[in-house]
Amino acid sequence: RVGGDTLVKAPLGVLWFGGPGNQDILPRHGHGPSPPVVDGRCIVEGMDMLRAIDVYTGRLLWAAKLPGLGQLYDNTAHQAGANGIGSNYVSLPEGVFVAHGDRAVRLDPATGKELQTYRLPAFANESKSPRWAFINVEGDYLIGAASPLPAKDTKRKKGDFSGLEASKRVCILNWRTGEVIAQIHAEHAYRHNGIILGGGRLYLLDRTDKDPTGVLSITGTRGSVYGSIAAHDLKSGKELWKNPKGTFGTFLSYSSAHDILLESGLVTRDTLRDEAKGIRALNAKDGQVMWNKPAYTGPALVRGDWVLKTENRGNGGTACNIQTGEEINVPD
């Protein structure tokens, strides 16, 4: 994601040094979620806890105990971590929303105290709420995803899957009331990096690497994926459109300025082994393909009229026009 911050500008300098130590913070190569800043507070995930630091002074403001939090990212083997699973918390002025086992909680950003708890409906033939595998927030809407498959909470090697990169169901909730507005079931599985919000819509990338004969293919080559991209109305969950043709990616991004949806792979270092090359743009209103560039390399990151893309698995970058897909050259 390309941030929209307009306050931070060069030249930059050290504002403070020190603060709480890193003893309880996640290891670098486990690729935990990047700490966001909201209302002057930097929200940092650690082992079994979440804490807030004053971004101006480095002072510890609060630490909330959440047993088991951070376990998925506690790995030093260059695993994909949040690059594949996604973040397990979202920080907003109204609350810090945390996926925590079979529930999600809303914490007070000022104190870290628990304000609300949310649970997803049980799957058919199950008596208890499933594990909350994905979380996002847009306006009054809380998006939660759950998978009935057990997660693999073991030490993983580079490129390995954890079992929490995709979910079989996505739910839309009103976070103020806790009401479940809609439940949307996948034909295959909703890849978490392909669950995004924008323009009053929920976009879902439903995909599998299994061909109709049941033979598993994780070569990452274009055309080895079966699936679709669909848009749903956030207020009701109603499907607005669905495009089942040409699905190849694992990653969606959205331009609010142009109402364009971009499909790509996350082809950078320390990501999952099935990430594929290619970028294509869809009209977010109807799902029609605007342009398609199989040779481009994602992730496709939106910056105004540009799409920022990578080369050679993250070593260097290029850009193209978001409306046409044509390469952009600037004086160096």
Side-chain angles (χ1 to χ4, degrees):
R1 180 180 183 274
V2 178
D5 197 319
T6 59
L7 296 176
V8 179
K9 296 181 177 67
L12 304 177
V14 176
L15 181 63
W16 52 265
F17 182 84
N22 66 344
Q23 299 94 323
D24 301 319
I25 298 304
L26 300 171
R28 171 188 172 187
H29 292 153
H31 292 290
S34 299
V37 175
V38 59
D39 290 346
R41 305 179 185 96
C42 182
I43 312 299
V44 186
E45 180 172 353
M47 290 302 302
D48 304 312
M49 64 88 176
L50 199 69
R51 69 187 183 191
I53 298 171
D54 188 314
V55 75
Y56 300 103
T57 66
R59 180 170 61 94
L60 178 65
L61 300 174
W62 53 260
K65 292 183 178 180
L66 296 163
L69 192 72
Q71 181 180 1
L72 290 169
Y73 314 113
D74 185 22
N75 192 324
T76 59
H78 288 272
Q79 66 165 5
N83 292 331
I85 299 167
S87 177
N88 54 1
Y89 70 104
V90 178
S91 301
L92 297 171
E94 296 86 357
V96 180
F97 298 81
V98 189
H100 185 227
D102 63 355
R103 65 177 191 149
V105 295
R106 180 167 71 95
L107 305 179
D108 185 337
T111 65
K113 292 183 178 179
E114 190 173 309
L115 299 176
Q116 256 174 307
T117 298
Y118 312 92
R119 296 188 187 277
L120 298 174
F123 281 93
N125 303 319
E126 291 186 351
S127 59
K128 61 180 182 178
S129 298
R131 182 174 187 165
W132 202 294
F134 174 86
I135 189 167
N136 207 344
V137 180
E138 171 86 359
D140 292 341
Y141 303 103
L142 173 64
I143 308 302
S147 172
L149 302 176
K152 302 173 183 177
D153 291 333
T154 58
K155 299 297 183 182
R156 294 174 292 280
K157 297 179 180 179
K158 187 172 182 175
D160 283 355
F161 291 79
S162 68
L164 278 178
E165 290 82 10
S167 291
K168 291 293 291 183
R169 182 183 57 180
V170 168
C171 296
I172 304 173
L173 298 85
N174 183 311
W175 67 258
R176 298 185 187 276
T177 65
E179 174 194 4
V180 177
I181 297 171
Q183 300 183 57
I184 306 168
H185 294 264
E187 180 181 358
H188 306 294
Y190 293 128
R191 190 71 166 248
H192 292 165
N193 282 334
I195 304 175
I196 65 168
L197 308 167
R201 310 177 195 104
L202 166 65
Y203 305 96
L204 298 171
L205 176 59
D206 185 4
R207 54 164 279 159
T208 180
D209 292 321
K210 289 184 178 179
D211 68 22
T213 65
V215 178
L216 182 63
S217 170
I218 50 174
T219 61
T221 56
R222 194 178 181 84
S224 67
V225 172
Y226 302 84
S228 63
I229 298 175
H232 295 257
D233 179 61
L234 259 182
K235 295 180 180 179
S236 64
K238 178 184 177 182
E239 184 176 287
L240 302 175
W241 56 259
K242 184 175 183 178
N243 187 333
K245 297 180 180 179
T247 305
F248 69 93
T250 62
F251 189 93
L252 294 181
S253 47
Y254 173 77
S255 166
S256 57
H258 299 282
D259 205 20
I260 291 175
L261 188 68
L262 295 160
E263 178 188 11
S264 64
L266 191 63
V267 188
T268 59
R269 291 177 294 177
D270 294 354
T271 54
L272 299 171
R273 58 178 177 264
D274 70 339
E275 304 288 355
K277 291 184 67 174
I279 298 177
R280 68 172 178 167
L282 292 78
N283 186 320
K285 290 185 177 67
D286 57 19
Q288 296 300 307
V289 176
M290 299 174 61
W291 53 263
N292 188 3
K293 302 288 185 179
Y296 284 0
T297 306
L301 303 179
V302 178
R303 181 183 182 273
D305 297 333
W306 291 14
V307 177
L308 306 181
K309 49 198 181 72
T310 60
E311 299 293 340
N312 300 320
R313 296 195 65 82
N315 298 319
T318 55
C320 67
N321 183 285
I322 191 169
Q323 293 180 308
T324 66
E326 295 305 311
E327 292 253 55
I328 292 173
N329 295 307
V330 296
D332 186 345

